Amino acid sequence: MYPKEFEYASPTSLGEAVALLKKMGPDAKVLAGGQSLVPLMKFRLASPKYLLDINGISNLEYIKENGKFISVGALTRHHSLERSELVKQKLGLFSETASWIGDPQVRNNGTIGGSLVHSDPAGDWGSAIIASRALLKIQSARRERIVDSDHFFKDTFTSAVAPNEILTEIRVPVPPDGGRSAGAYEKLERKAGDFATVGVGVQLTLSRNRKTFEQAGIGLTSLGPTNLRGKKAEKALVGKNVSLETIEEAGTAVSEEVKPTDDVLRGSAEYKRAMARVFLKRALTRAARKAGASGV
Amino acid sequence: MAVSAIFGAKVNRREDPRLISGTGTYASDVALANMAYAAFLRSPHAHAKIKRIDAEKAKKLPGVVTVLTGKDIGSKLNPVPCAWPVTGADVKIPKYYPIAVDRVRYVGDPVAVVVATSPYEAADALDAIVVEYDPLPAVILQEEAMKKGAPLLYEEVPNNIALHWKIGGGNVSDAFSNAEVTIKERFVNQRLQPTAIETRGATAQYDPSTGMLTMWVTTQNPHVHRLLLTLMTGIPEQKLRIISKDVGGGFGSKIPCYGPEAVVALLAKETGVPIKWVEDRHENYVATIHGRDHVQYVELAGKKDGTITGLRVKVYSNLGAWLSTAAPGVPTILFGLILPGAYKIPNVECEVYGMVTNTTGIDAYRGAGRPEATYIIERLVDIFAHKIGMDPAEVRLKNFIPKDKFPYNTATGLAYDSGNYEGALFKALGMVSYDNLRRELQMLRSEGKLVGVGISSYVEVCGLGPSSVVRSTGFALGLWESAIVRVHPSGKVSVFTGGHPHGQGEETTFAQITASELGVLIDDVEVIHGDTDRIPFGMGTYGSRTTPVAGGSIVIACRRIKDKGKKIAAHLLEAREEDVQFDSGKFFVTGVPGVSKTLAEVAWASYGAGSNEIPSGMEPGLESTAFYDPPSFVFPFGTHVCQVEIDKESGQVKIKRYVAVDDCGKQVNPMIVEGQVHGGIAQGIAQALWEEAVYDEHGNLLTGTLSEYAVPTAVELPKYETTSTETPSPHHPLGLKGVGETGTIASTPAVVNAVCDALSPYGVENIDMPLRSDKIWRILKEKGISK
Ligand SMILES: Cc1cc2nc3c(=O)[nH]c(=O)nc-3n(C[C@H](O)[C@H](O)[C@H](O)COP(=O)(O)OP(=O)(O)OC[C@H]3O[C@@H](n4cnc5c(N)ncnc54)[C@H](O)[C@@H]3O)c2cc1C
């Protein structure tokens, strides 16, 4: 559990950081909360030559409302998202998701940006950004670009963030009309702090009369090579009546579109497929109720 | 607190402040000048020949002091000893060397050791060693290992069968041919990874001027450890000192002595610098012993009225790649003898095969053999009850050994000391209002809920143990315990115990026992353990033995001190010895309590040793050494009741209620008893629901880190409702029994019984542990309960 030797840099501004990244080349790794990178280094599964610690950059850790978006700095800790009043009020999906991650130590250290760039299909944040249609702001020495959540996860442990780039901000659209929008995260885990056997994040907006699903976003954890968007399930909801039948149909749809794999410890692909259905239904029911629906 | 009330009081654990404030001293806290760090290169293959090891590059890396292979060590170290060649069993102890010489036998088998000036450099050097292997077919499961044509681990162990043992009492074949009802099951008691928070580690320092080797080791039994290290290293016992201050949990995994510890000792001697080695968690999971791993073929014979008449058990036990210190005793003596549990079963037969396989070695894990036995009988009782349509509580009551039949001799040859099994059962049933609960569950079931209740009534054999019995089983040493109680001239007391508490709280309870016996304040008693140069030769802590056995030796030493004190007091008071009494720290003349001498006054006199202070001819000083060899084992017992609900959609098991009634005789400190019960239950529930060591077919441990091996947290565990009954051991000087393992023994079958009860309306008889949600879901799906 002793990493290989590495060089360490601790820039204090984003500009300095991306300049350093450019100089160091592909042998560099950004260090955020260290909750994924440090274990990998201790197992010597990752042995970066340079470690670029971004914790000294003061303006990467924030949660603020900017008109249509809630902007979250990439360095924001899971714990801050779990506890933020603003997030609780407007982005219940995010506070719920944060509360399911690891244990208090992990939540105090780990960052939303680190989790997303790490792109573990068992990471919980991926589903939250997919369900909420978040935008990701990415910075290199050369330019700043914005990627939407549908194009962020490239493959298992591979995100859209290139080695010379830093993820700086997660922009989450403020759900329309507080009262009729709501989100929920449901997770099946063997024990508290475990990575998801399956996880489901949903972000819903109901029609003004609360009778139909106006918008639906669904993100799925541990159900494919990356966090997935439950497109078929979303389609089964939008424009349909808020009813147990509709939710059931979404459940059926999701179990058909997920791509889980057998896992000796957490369950077969078949089990995970079935649990995608069960936990989606639970998340939908809970979110719909929070958004004022009756009869579900 | 009044001195007289100290025994039985809920005194706070005096060891806790240092442990919870980070000021304890664990193996990895040892820091010596010029210390170098050892690291072991471990095999990635479960079974392979070592063709070539090239360490030249590694040796040249900065900071590297030396690299040794098994060949380099050659005859400098002897094979890892096994201390329990069970009498009457066919035991084959293969030669297993601290570092593999030409063949590796499990993933994790050491192939080389590196010493470097920092742990980082040591890790770099490991990466630089090139080993060429010639992989061999591996065998992981014990039933496969004994088949003809299976890969052989050792020439000297034909068919990989390292252990074969049989016992029996009564006439089992008659019992089965006359049975009205018979039951036949295959149970799997899965492999577990003892997860002590502190991994293993050792630091050794050699002093060439005296020839002394001092070793700081995390161990449950410093003197036994020393003896085993002497056997491996050849360093004479008097030149070897083992210090083990705080130990961060053991659960059995720190009873054995392991090869790497001998290597560390050798390296300290050869290099002349202190050597430190501490496992990381992954290394701990692959290289420290595992527990359990039985495949059990079990049969029960009975009558329709609920009487159990016979029990037949055949077990295939996995021993792993080497025979660890106590390995052969766990699936035999510690298992087979207690099979009848709390019941009068006249006919019992048990046969055990133990196989070596290409997996981590298996030895004692909290409960050690007794959970495996209790699981069998407690599961069978439930299946039997279900089959004959009787309530499982009633079947238990019908077969319990009645409380007036003690001491009771079992068909397996044990003599239970005392018990009131129905007392504990009734108390537990009362706490859950059992009849109402059954009705309530019936109602919930009619609403479609999957709910159940499970009972487990256990008896544990512990307080290991009477030496003549223990020796007759083939164990290498007796299992008495030692104590020195020293009253200082000021009247303060030091207690040196051969036990080695490491979480069980005996620094506190032994101070309570001493304070109560000698009538001194608890704060005036210091309890010392874990240093072979300070304490008398002792056997250590395991087998729920420390409070009854080590505690027994302290009581005897205290009583001898009082006897001597009486003589001195009589001399000082110019009274006859027969007229002097002792109470609450004072010696006084019977009937004249005002004429007295305190223990401190007597102690002072004993060290002064003048003619007006002690009788002529008496030796000075006031201390006593006692070796307590228990006349018999002790047999705690109790009943646990668990209520569960299964989530129909996901298969998750939720424990709704958990009630435990335990009887460990007299309690020195009920708060500590409760703590032991809590921890035990947690570990037992963990086996029932989550924990399982899993290998792939190549022998890779898939549960090699804490993110894979599912140790539960407080979140998953229920609130325990614990209470006790009190049936003292008649043969123990204080009426004590052990309680360190009871929770682990009782809880596992209680939970499985509850889950099987919940599914019994659907014809489910048995599910093998762990009862993970995906496994339950599959059953629910097959039964058409969930989709
Ligand atoms: C015991 C334990 C339990 C856990 N349980 C869960 C769980 O239940 N659910 C869950 O989702 N996660 C879990 N995690 C992972 C945890 O959420 C991590 O915090 C997260 O995956 C990584 O975030 P970090 O800030 O620690 O990133 P780091 O470990 O510092 O970095 C992770 C990766 O992202 C890169 N990186 C980090 N920040 C940036 C950035 N701003 N721009 C570009 N690259 C960046 C790093 O170079 C590295 O490759 C657990 C971790 C542990 C140790």
Side-chain angles (χ1 to χ4, degrees):
Chain A
M1 291 297 265
Y2 293 95
K4 279 196 188 157
E5 195 173 270
F6 54 85
E7 275 176 45
Y8 174 86
S10 178
T12 52
S13 75
L14 188 59
E16 194 190 339
V18 288
L20 274 169
L21 265 188
K22 189 176 170 194
K23 211 171 92 192
M24 293 166 170
D27 289 337
K29 271 273 177 201
V30 170
L31 175 72
Q35 298 303 295
S36 294
L37 182 56
V38 172
L40 285 175
M41 289 171 66
K42 285 184 161 190
F43 277 112
R44 298 193 168 207
L45 294 170
S47 298
K49 203 165 155 204
Y50 306 103
L51 215 51
L52 189 87
D53 184 346
I54 58 171
N55 288 281
I57 302 175
S58 56
N59 54 352
L60 275 183
E61 202 172 341
Y62 54 82
I63 304 169
K64 38 185 186 210
E65 192 166 6
N66 289 332
K68 283 202 229 151
F69 292 99
I70 290 175
S71 298
V72 180
L75 206 54
T76 305
R77 315 289 152 174
H78 309 321
H79 172 83
S80 311
L81 283 149
E82 182 185 1
R83 293 300 163 90
S84 154
E85 280 308 318
L86 174 64
V87 173
K88 271 187 205 163
Q89 274 170 27
K90 303 209 163 164
L91 277 181
L93 167 61
F94 276 59
S95 38
E96 283 193 14
T97 303
S99 74
W100 281 101
I101 297 174
D103 47 44
Q105 291 93 319
V106 171
R107 292 198 291 276
N108 282 334
N109 286 304
T111 68
I112 183 169
S115 173
L116 292 171
V117 176
H118 187 55
S119 296
D120 183 343
D124 295 302
W125 280 127
S127 295
I129 64 155
I130 289 173
S132 63
R133 310 282 192 260
L135 301 175
L136 296 307
K137 204 168 110 182
I138 300 168
Q139 181 80 49
S140 70
R142 198 159 52 88
R143 60 166 183 169
E144 177 190 299
R145 62 191 183 108
I146 304 249
V147 173
D148 68 55
S149 57
D150 280 344
H151 296 94
F152 185 76
F153 297 112
K154 297 294 182 197
D155 203 345
T156 308
F157 299 119
T158 312
S159 76
V161 180
N164 65 339
E165 290 180 319
I166 290 178
L167 173 65
T168 55
E169 188 176 286
I170 296 90
R171 283 192 189 161
V172 194
V174 177
D177 238 5
R180 61 190 175 94
S181 294
Y185 193 75
E186 288 281 342
K187 180 172 172 178
L188 171 63
E189 55 183 12
R190 298 175 304 172
K191 57 169 207 162
D194 197 17
F195 280 97
T197 302
V198 306
V200 180
V202 303
Q203 182 64 46
L204 297 179
T205 300
L206 305 184
S207 59
R208 286 183 198 285
N209 65 5
R210 314 296 204 263
K211 296 288 186 216
T212 54
F213 291 105
E214 194 172 290
Q215 291 176 22
I218 295 172
L220 304 162
T221 313
S222 293
L223 285 162
T226 64
N227 291 93
L228 299 179
R229 179 167 160 195
K231 284 193 187 143
K232 287 188 180 155
E234 288 174 2
K235 223 168 136 192
L237 294 167
V238 177
K240 307 280 167 52
N241 285 339
V242 179
S243 68
L244 290 176
E245 292 71 42
T246 309
I247 289 177
E248 193 62 48
E249 273 163 35
T252 307
V254 87
S255 66
E256 284 161 8
E257 66 185 320
V258 292
K259 303 179 188 93
T261 49
D262 286 331
D263 167 350
V264 197
L265 303 176
R266 292 182 178 81
S268 63
E270 189 195 359
Y271 178 59
K272 292 181 194 171
R273 202 177 282 285
M275 291 309 104
R277 175 171 49 74
V278 169
F279 283 77
L280 174 63
K281 286 185 342 192
R282 289 181 185 177
L284 287 173
T285 310
R286 219 157 45 73
R289 282 184 196 154
K290 283 206 268 180
S294 51
V296 292
Chain B
M1 174 159 327
V3 158
S4 55
I6 198 75
F7 185 94
K10 295 183 178 182
V11 178
N12 280 350
R13 287 172 29 127
R14 48 164 63 181
E15 43 272 80
D16 285 352
R18 75 168 187 273
L19 299 181
I20 60 181
S21 63
T23 50
T25 309
Y26 296 101
S28 77
D29 293 317
V30 177
L32 305 171
N34 300 324
M35 192 162 75
Y37 297 81
F40 289 87
L41 182 68
R42 294 181 177 276
S43 167
H45 297 281
H47 202 184
K49 285 202 171 120
I50 301 171
K51 280 170 71 180
R52 193 175 67 93
I53 303 179
D54 181 356
E56 287 319 303
K57 204 173 136 213
K59 282 181 185 166
K60 288 189 192 112
L61 287 177
V64 173
V65 178
T66 187
V67 179
L68 295 182
T69 64
K71 284 219 168 83
D72 297 333
I73 288 175
S75 59
K76 287 180 198 161
L77 292 178
N78 291 316
V80 179
C82 173
W84 205 344
V86 175
T87 310
D90 187 3
V91 186
K92 301 210 166 55
I93 301 173
K95 279 204 169 70
Y96 173 74
Y97 287 92
I99 296 192
V101 181
D102 48 15
R103 193 157 149 190
V104 289
R105 293 185 172 85
Y106 74 99
V107 172
D109 215 352
V111 288
V113 64
V114 163
V115 178
T117 51
S118 81
Y120 293 87
E121 290 161 323
D124 289 346
L126 291 186
D127 281 355
I129 301 174
V130 180
V131 187
E132 247 181 79
Y133 294 98
D134 198 353
L136 297 167
V139 62
I140 312 303
L141 304 172
Q142 57 268 48
E143 287 181 288
E144 297 296 318
M146 68 191 300
K147 282 188 186 153
K148 273 212 177 65
L152 266 195
L153 268 81
Y154 298 92
E155 297 306 318
E156 61 266 39
V157 187
N159 301 314
N160 297 315
I161 302 174
L163 173 69
H164 182 215
W165 179 79
K166 257 175 154 171
I167 49 147
N171 189 333
V172 173
S173 49
D174 276 6
F176 276 87
S177 41
N178 300 331
E180 294 170 3
V181 187
T182 58
I183 301 212
K184 216 171 170 166
E185 292 287 340
R186 179 184 189 267
F187 294 146
V188 176
N189 206 295
Q190 81 271 30
R191 179 187 280 251
L192 300 173
Q193 297 165 206
T195 306
I197 298 293
E198 183 198 25
T199 59
R200 284 186 307 116
T203 303
Q205 184 177 37
Y206 183 65
D207 179 349
S209 70
T210 59
M212 272 303 285
L213 191 106
T214 305
M215 236 176 134
W216 291 260
V217 196
T218 177
T219 174
Q220 296 176 224
N221 26 250
H223 275 103
V224 178
H225 222 92
R226 188 182 69 176
L227 183 58
L228 296 170
L229 275 171
T230 287
L231 294 175
M232 271 195 276
T233 62
I235 301 168
E237 274 181 283
Q238 80 279 12
K239 293 289 189 192
L240 194 51
R241 176 181 184 189
I242 303 289
I243 301 173
S244 172
K245 202 167 165 245
D246 291 314
V247 175
F251 310 115
S253 72
K254 293 173 182 171
I255 301 171
C257 188
Y258 296 76
E261 291 154 10
V263 174
V264 168
L266 177 75
L267 286 169
K269 225 177 142 174
E270 298 232 319
T271 62
V273 294
I275 305 288
K276 178 171 184 170
W277 164 69
V278 179
E279 285 178 336
D280 64 40
R281 177 59 61 189
H282 177 65
E283 191 176 20
N284 175 260
Y285 270 168
V286 298
T288 290
I289 58 105
H290 294 170
R292 315 237 155 86
D293 203 345
H294 278 198
V295 178
Q296 308 170 323
Y297 294 86
V298 296
E299 290 172 83
L300 179 140
K303 295 194 205 161
K304 286 188 185 135
D305 70 356
T307 311
I308 303 169
T309 53
L311 187 63
R312 187 151 56 198
V313 171
K314 194 168 190 178
V315 167
Y316 299 98
S317 152
N318 199 335
L319 301 173
W322 74 97
L323 263 57
S324 176
T325 303
V330 176
T332 53
I333 305 298
L334 294 178
F335 164 75
L337 304 187
I338 197 73
L339 272 168
Y343 312 106
K344 39 182 203 298
I345 309 177
N347 310 298
V348 181
E349 200 174 274
C350 172
E351 182 173 17
V352 177
Y353 286 93
M355 269 60 72
V356 286
T357 61
N358 296 111
T359 61
T360 298
I362 293 205
D363 204 330
Y365 173 57
R366 197 171 189 175
R370 291 147 295 168
E372 296 90 307
T374 305
Y375 187 79
I376 291 178
I377 188 66
E378 287 308 292
R379 287 287 299 121
L380 280 177
V381 165
D382 264 40
I383 295 170
F384 177 48
H386 191 249
K387 186 154 182 178
I388 59 174
M390 229 168 127
D391 190 284
E394 248 174 81
V395 175
R396 286 181 170 82
L397 275 173
K398 184 159 188 89
N399 291 282
F400 274 158
I401 299 160
K403 63 171 187 258
D404 56 0
K405 287 281 186 290
F406 290 91
Y408 180 85
N409 295 319
T410 68
T412 48
L414 287 175
Y416 290 180
D417 58 348
S418 62
N420 177 3
Y421 304 155
E422 58 274 25
L425 179 82
F426 280 131
K427 194 158 182 177
L429 295 185
M431 282 168 77
V432 298
S433 312
Y434 187 67
D435 293 336
N436 289 340
L437 176 64
R438 279 275 175 213
R439 276 194 291 275
E440 202 180 299
L441 294 185
Q442 214 42 53
M443 257 170 50
L444 290 168
R445 280 176 186 176
S446 65
E447 293 165 17
K449 293 245 160 69
L450 295 176
V451 289
V453 61
I455 301 172
S456 161
S457 297
Y458 71 95
V459 178
E460 183 195 357
V461 47
C462 68
L464 312 179
S467 298
S468 61
V469 180
V470 170
R471 288 287 292 147
S472 74
T473 71
F475 191 71
L477 292 162
L479 283 177
W480 43 265
E481 196 49 277
S482 63
I484 297 173
V485 175
R486 179 175 300 154
V487 184
H488 302 288
S490 58
K492 313 285 185 200
V493 184
S494 291
V495 177
F496 302 83
T497 171
H500 191 29
H502 49 280
Q504 297 85 349
E506 280 103 353
E507 284 181 27
T508 306
T509 51
F510 285 177
Q512 285 180 266
I513 289 176
T514 309
S516 149
E517 284 291 322
L518 296 182
V520 295
L521 294 172
I522 185 172
D523 287 344
D524 290 343
V525 182
E526 191 67 22
V527 176
I528 295 115
H529 60 95
D531 181 344
T532 55
D533 271 10
R534 294 186 74 193
I535 61 169
F537 195 102
M539 295 302 173
T541 288
Y542 42 85
S544 302
R545 69 187 302 272
T546 308
T547 299
V549 188
S553 64
I554 291 169
V555 173
I556 289 172
C558 286
R559 292 183 181 171
R560 286 183 187 154
I561 281 171
K562 287 189 283 189
D563 287 345
K564 182 169 181 181
K566 255 186 211 168
K567 291 192 171 75
I568 298 172
H571 186 69
L572 293 173
L573 296 169
E574 296 178 355
R576 292 189 321 173
E577 191 193 334
E578 312 79 273
D579 293 340
V580 175
Q581 277 187 318
F582 179 83
D583 191 34
S584 305
K586 278 196 180 125
F587 297 91
F588 58 93
V589 178
T590 308
V592 202
V595 183
S596 68
K597 290 285 169 192
T598 63
L599 183 72
E601 288 168 321
V602 167
W604 186 258
S606 78
Y607 286 93
S611 57
N612 56 349
E613 290 174 306
I614 61 171
S616 70
M618 179 183 268
E619 285 179 12
L622 196 58
E623 78 171 60
S624 168
T625 303
F627 291 80
Y628 173 64
D629 195 0
S632 182
F633 298 105
V634 290
F635 295 86
F637 60 89
T639 289
H640 290 203
V641 181
C642 174
Q643 186 190 334
V644 299
E645 176 163 0
I646 300 169
D647 179 340
K648 264 191 171 168
E649 289 181 313
S650 69
Q652 284 169 294
V653 173
K654 172 109 190 133
I655 297 181
K656 306 293 276 187
R657 199 159 177 205
Y658 198 98
V659 164
V661 178
D662 295 280
D663 191 322
C664 60
K666 291 263 184 208
Q667 300 187 4
V668 185
N669 183 329
M671 183 188 71
I672 287 180
V673 167
E674 196 184 338
Q676 289 297 301
V677 170
H678 277 217
I681 296 172
Q683 259 168 319
I685 294 177
Q687 174 171 18
L689 297 182
W690 301 288
E691 290 189 20
E692 180 179 29
V694 182
Y695 282 97
D696 69 11
E697 70 272 27
H698 307 296
N700 296 303
L701 183 65
L702 301 179
T703 44
T705 75
L706 273 167
S707 57
E708 279 86 33
Y709 190 70
V711 181
T713 72
V715 176
E716 293 76 42
L717 294 165
K719 180 177 171 297
Y720 311 117
E721 299 167 53
T722 61
T723 187
S724 54
T725 57
E726 187 182 297
T727 312
S729 171
H731 63 69
H732 188 275
L734 295 176
L736 306 177
K737 297 183 175 185
V739 75
E741 295 162 298
T742 57
T744 326
I745 292 168
S747 56
T748 309
V751 176
V752 178
N753 280 344
V755 172
C756 291
D757 181 53
L759 296 174
S760 66
Y762 304 91
V764 174
E765 201 160 72
N766 185 47
I767 314 169
D768 281 324
M769 301 181 289
L771 307 180
R772 290 180 357 189
S773 59
D774 55 320
K775 202 184 277 178
I776 303 280
W777 175 81
R778 170 152 301 285
I779 293 165
L780 298 178
K781 194 166 176 250
E782 277 163 16
K783 302 285 174 191
I785 305 165
S786 84
K787 58 171 185 168

